[in-house]
Amino acid sequence: MIEEAYCNHEIAELLREKGMDKECFTHYIQKNNGDGTSEAVTTCTQQMAMKWLREVHNIHIDICSIWDAIHWLYQVFVITPRTARNPYVDKILYTSYEQADEAGILHALKNLI
């Protein structure tokens, strides 16, 4: 069975801080310093986050298979009306598409918005 890849807690927090207000389908529970309180943090799928980055901030994340489809990397492009500029290519090889996707989203949120 194929399962959706959801953004991790760090990305969920950054998306919320950066203004993503799309309806989300799940949440993480964050416990606060052992004081017994908790906070629900909504999250979305990685594909929803990538679409939001592309449509709202003109940031495109491309996931590429290297050599044998066992190694993956991401590239980040800021799209302008005529071209993609300033491509960033990560030099780390990931062992899954989803890991590379998550790393690309995190890079865009921390460095481009």
Side-chain angles (χ1 to χ4, degrees):
M1 184 171 135
I2 297 174
E3 294 183 19
E4 292 283 351
Y6 286 90
C7 295
N8 66 27
H9 185 264
E10 180 181 12
I11 291 173
E13 285 286 338
L14 285 169
L15 286 168
R16 186 170 67 173
E17 287 174 18
K18 303 293 183 175
M20 183 176 182
D21 61 357
K22 298 278 185 187
E23 182 179 322
C24 296
F25 302 110
T26 192
H27 66 276
Y28 292 97
I29 300 298
Q30 177 183 4
K31 300 224 184 223
N32 295 327
N33 300 324
D35 64 0
T37 61
S38 62
E39 175 187 356
V41 178
T42 58
T43 192
C44 61
T45 64
Q46 291 176 346
Q47 289 302 312
M48 287 174 68
M50 288 176 65
K51 184 174 182 176
W52 179 78
L53 287 167
R54 188 174 55 252
E55 292 181 357
V56 175
H57 296 284
N58 297 321
I59 298 170
H60 174 71
I61 300 170
D62 185 32
I63 310 301
C64 305
S65 172
I66 303 298
W67 305 304
D68 52 10
I70 295 175
H71 298 95
W72 302 85
L73 62 79
Y74 70 84
Q75 301 177 74
V76 178
F77 300 90
V78 178
I79 307 299
T80 61
R82 294 191 177 174
T83 186
R85 67 174 175 83
N86 299 330
Y88 172 82
V89 179
D90 191 22
K91 294 178 176 45
I92 298 172
L93 295 179
Y94 298 90
T95 57
S96 75
Y97 179 97
E98 291 75 20
Q99 285 177 344
D101 196 8
E102 190 172 79
I105 294 167
L106 192 59
H107 173 83
L109 290 170
K110 285 185 171 181
N111 298 292
L112 299 174
I113 299 176

